[in-house]
Amino acid sequence: MDIFRLKTNISVFLLCFLLSSSFSLVKAQTTYISAQSGNWPTGSTWIGGVAPGAGDNAIIKDGHTVRLTTGGTGTFINDLTIEAGGVLDADNKEMNINGKFIVDGTYTSFDPSAQDLNFNGDTLGGTGTIAVNKPTSYFIFGTNTKVLPSAHLNVFGHIRIASGVTVTNHGMIEVSGELNGQNATSTWTNDAGSTVEAANLLMSTGVLNASASGNTVVYVQQADQAVKTPSASTYYNLTISGSGIKNTSSDLIINNDLTISSGTLNSNGNSLQIKGNWINAGDFTEGTGTITFNGTIDQSITNASGEVFYNLTVNKSSGSLILNNDVNVSGTLTMTSGVISAGTGVLILGTSTATTGTLSRTGGIIAGSFRRWINSTGTFLFPVGTSSNYHPLNITLNGLNSGGTLTSKFNESVPGNTGLPLFDNPDSVFNTFVDGYWELNKADGFNLGGANNYNITLDGTGFTAFTIDGSTRVLTRADAGSAWLAQGTHLSPVGNVARRNTLTTLSAHYAFGDTTNCYPPSTSAITGLNEVCTGTSGVSYSVTNNPPNTYNWIITGGTQASG
């Protein structure tokens, strides 16, 4: 009987223990919702009349302000949600959150004696405000944390990332104070599509990962600010804002856009590689570094006041570098590959006759205007052309009265036949090549001098109007309204390069002249209907063949039966 009672007591004890354990587990997941404004430990503040415990979850509703009153190590909670319009006033007390932290309202500790906000959970989100007012207190990330993609949080005060902890940002965080690590093992990672705005030090201690596609790092301090060198020295989007000078301390790679919205970016002689667009509405101090554009898509440079670089390198395997304004290179312009599309702007090499700059070209084309400062005799390359063909102009100055600038451009338009035919011993020149013409304009005090002359070479690669042969001439005119002249001395072309010596007219236009055809090339319209009804067949089209012209036929929604 005693043994039976003992077994019964043990069974009852185990049952009670299991029930107690189950109750504890359920209780640990209890969510408490604020009923009204009040102090955190006061039961009447919460629906049900009981304050949440350390293992519970809490929700502060719209219109309610809940105030912390527990000193020492502070208040503990698992998940904490502050709804829009809700306020958690930490006053001068410490807060500890060990689960999910969602702030659509306000967490505030605007008190001179504000204490730390310790976050040891794994998820941060919301679109509200977190404020830790005291300069020596922090919003501390104590464990690895993910910031939700939907987050757009404003943090007033400092953020500290604990040793060995990684915060991965998928949303948008704006920080008014420092965002810093405890030591070199602390990490902030901007994931794809995320944004962090830093108004003070950004990971001056620790690691910054900022290369993920679509992410943006913005430096917004209203004073001088250091630009962090991220892992692999790589940003995706880098934005400079605020005021003062934002200083780089090493070479950087920008995998997409560099934007200077306001303030000044000082590269301090360091180099920048840009794979996207350059947008400058502030100031850039170029120092002696090199700006390299090496993206594989179209890129652009925008500065309404005109951009100035020390060294500029263009190395594009595809796409164009589009100049939306003038761009000036005071040091070395290096052209490795790719098209520089100047548009209505001008690419300028040098800043004066004292600083003429250096051109180093192994590939690439300037489609548009290229200006060079020149202060001596010698040969000068203008690597101009179109987006598809390279038509460089080389000028050799045999004498020079005073230096200045020469600006060249290849115009892909018909040069006209004004002044033709003309005799250039022993041939008559009947037509210009309709493929285009060059112009070369002097300015800024450039004066060849009445007793001096120059030689010129022009590359007609890709020209199809006539055959370039030994009699192909270089013709000259003063401007678009003048007649073509056979000035200077003819030299036979070398390949597709036509040559002329002892020219004297500057500014001038240049075109290729043909001596073999009395009539210019002609074209004829394609005959036939622009549109054909569905089911129709046997519709014919024709064009008169005028070699060397070619025609492209584009058929949409039908098939070519013959021809």
Side-chain angles (χ1 to χ4, degrees), residues 486-540:
Q487 189 181 86
T489 305
H490 169 67
L491 282 77
S492 294
V494 177
N496 293 317
V497 178
R499 304 180 294 164
R500 197 85 180 180
N501 282 357
T502 62
L503 297 166
T504 56
T505 299
L506 268 178
S507 302
H509 291 183
Y510 311 96
F512 280 15
D514 177 66
T515 63
T516 61
N517 293 270
C518 292
Y519 300 101
S522 60
T523 61
S524 61
I526 298 173
T527 62
L529 300 173
N530 290 332
E531 297 180 356
V532 179
C533 294
T534 302
T536 303
S537 62
V539 179
S540 63

Side-chain angles (χ1 to χ4, degrees), residues 281-556:
D283 292 299
F284 174 62
T285 303
E286 66 273 18
T288 56
T290 298
I291 308 300
T292 299
F293 288 88
N294 56 358
T296 56
I297 60 174
D298 284 352
Q299 299 176 257
S300 64
I301 300 174
T302 302
N303 183 338
S305 301
E307 193 56 81
V308 178
F309 299 123
Y310 183 73
N311 296 326
L312 173 63
T313 296
V314 180
N315 183 14
K316 294 179 60 60
S317 59
S318 58
S320 298
L321 176 61
I322 301 166
L323 312 185
N324 291 322
N325 311 96
D326 291 352
V327 173
N328 193 290
V329 181
S330 60
T332 299
L333 171 62
T334 302
M335 296 175 60
T336 303
S337 62
V339 175
I340 303 172
S341 179
T344 58
V346 181
L347 179 58
I348 306 164
L349 179 59
T351 58
S352 67
T353 53
T355 306
T356 58
T358 301
L359 174 63
S360 174
R361 181 195 177 273
T362 55
I365 304 169
I366 299 172
S369 297
F370 176 53
R371 180 176 300 153
R372 298 191 65 163
W373 281 90
I374 295 172
N375 64 1
S376 66
T377 59
T379 299
F380 300 91
L381 168 65
F382 291 81
V384 295
T386 68
S387 59
S388 55
N389 285 303
Y390 182 46
H391 300 305
L393 179 155
N394 279 280
I395 183 171
T396 300
L397 300 173
N398 299 316
L400 182 64
N401 189 43
S402 62
T405 61
L406 291 177
T407 303
S408 182
K409 178 182 181 182
F410 179 79
N411 297 289
E412 197 175 12
S413 56
V414 178
N417 284 336
T418 303
L420 303 183
L422 60 79
F423 182 71
D424 186 32
N425 190 37
D427 301 308
S428 291
V429 181
F430 298 105
N431 300 291
T432 60
F433 283 47
V434 298
D435 306 87
Y437 65 95
W438 294 259
E439 57 182 275
L440 190 61
N441 298 303
K442 65 178 181 178
D444 301 304
F446 186 96
N447 184 4
L448 182 65
N452 297 319
N453 58 59
Y454 64 92
N455 306 333
I456 201 164
T457 66
L458 306 168
D459 192 326
T461 298
F463 281 12
T464 59
F466 301 106
T467 300
I468 299 173
D469 57 26
S471 64
T472 299
R473 297 302 203 271
V474 173
L475 302 179
T476 306
R477 67 184 180 190
D479 52 47
S482 302
W484 289 108
L485 303 173
Q487 189 181 86
T489 305
H490 169 67
L491 282 77
S492 294
V494 177
N496 293 317
V497 178
R499 304 180 294 164
R500 197 85 180 180
N501 282 357
T502 62
L503 297 166
T504 56
T505 299
L506 268 178
S507 302
H509 291 183
Y510 311 96
F512 280 15
D514 177 66
T515 63
T516 61
N517 293 270
C518 292
Y519 300 101
S522 60
T523 61
S524 61
I526 298 173
T527 62
L529 300 173
N530 290 332
E531 297 180 356
V532 179
C533 294
T534 302
T536 303
S537 62
V539 179
S540 63
Y541 294 84
S542 64
V543 66
T544 302
N545 186 25
N546 292 298
N549 300 309
T550 59
Y551 296 85
N552 292 323
W553 302 83
I554 300 175
I555 302 171
T556 303

Side-chain angles (χ1 to χ4, degrees), residues 50-76:
V50 178
D56 294 323
N57 305 324
I59 299 174
I60 299 175
K61 301 291 287 184
D62 176 19
H64 297 167
T65 297
V66 177
R67 185 171 179 266
L68 300 184
T69 59
T70 302
T73 57
T75 300
F76 290 81

Side-chain angles (χ1 to χ4, degrees), residues 28-250:
Q29 299 173 359
T30 300
T31 297
Y32 290 80
I33 301 172
S34 65
Q36 61 182 10
S37 296
N39 294 334
W40 182 286
T42 303
S44 61
T45 302
W46 307 95
I47 294 174
V50 178
D56 294 323
N57 305 324
I59 299 174
I60 299 175
K61 301 291 287 184
D62 176 19
H64 297 167
T65 297
V66 177
R67 185 171 179 266
L68 300 184
T69 59
T70 302
T73 57
T75 300
F76 290 81
I77 196 70
N78 187 45
D79 291 351
L80 175 61
T81 299
I82 306 173
E83 293 186 351
V87 177
L88 175 58
D89 183 0
D91 196 25
N92 59 355
K93 303 299 186 292
E94 197 160 335
M95 184 67 189
N96 302 274
I97 303 165
N98 297 320
K100 183 183 294 184
F101 189 21
I102 305 297
V103 186
D104 288 314
T106 302
Y107 174 97
T108 179
S109 57
F110 270 97
D111 185 281
S113 301
Q115 300 300 305
D116 294 337
L117 167 59
N118 299 301
F119 181 56
N120 296 302
D122 60 1
T123 304
L124 175 65
T127 57
T129 299
I130 299 171
V132 180
N133 189 49
K134 188 178 178 181
T136 56
S137 295
Y138 297 87
F139 175 18
I140 299 173
F141 288 91
T143 55
N144 292 341
T145 301
K146 176 179 72 174
V147 180
L148 295 175
S150 58
H152 186 161
L153 290 166
N154 287 279
V155 179
F156 292 94
H158 303 314
I159 292 177
R160 174 177 289 174
I161 302 173
S163 174
V165 169
T166 296
V167 177
T168 303
N169 178 27
H170 298 271
M172 181 169 184
I173 303 288
E174 301 177 44
V175 186
S176 70
E178 298 177 5
L179 196 172
N180 218 344
Q182 182 179 349
N183 58 36
T185 65
S186 307
T187 302
W188 179 278
T189 296
N190 248 21
D191 205 37
S194 67
T195 299
V196 61
E197 290 190 1
N200 207 300
L201 293 176
L202 175 61
M203 297 306 292
S204 61
T205 300
V207 176
L208 172 65
N209 295 319
S211 62
S213 177
N215 95 88
T216 302
V217 176
V218 187
Y219 291 87
V220 297
Q221 188 166 357
Q222 299 297 326
D224 293 354
Q225 188 176 14
V227 176
K228 169 75 174 182
T229 301
S231 56
S233 301
T234 301
Y235 287 94
Y236 188 79
N237 292 315
L238 173 62
T239 298
I240 303 301
S241 189
S243 60
I245 300 172
K246 308 300 185 277
N247 292 286
T248 68
S249 58
S250 64

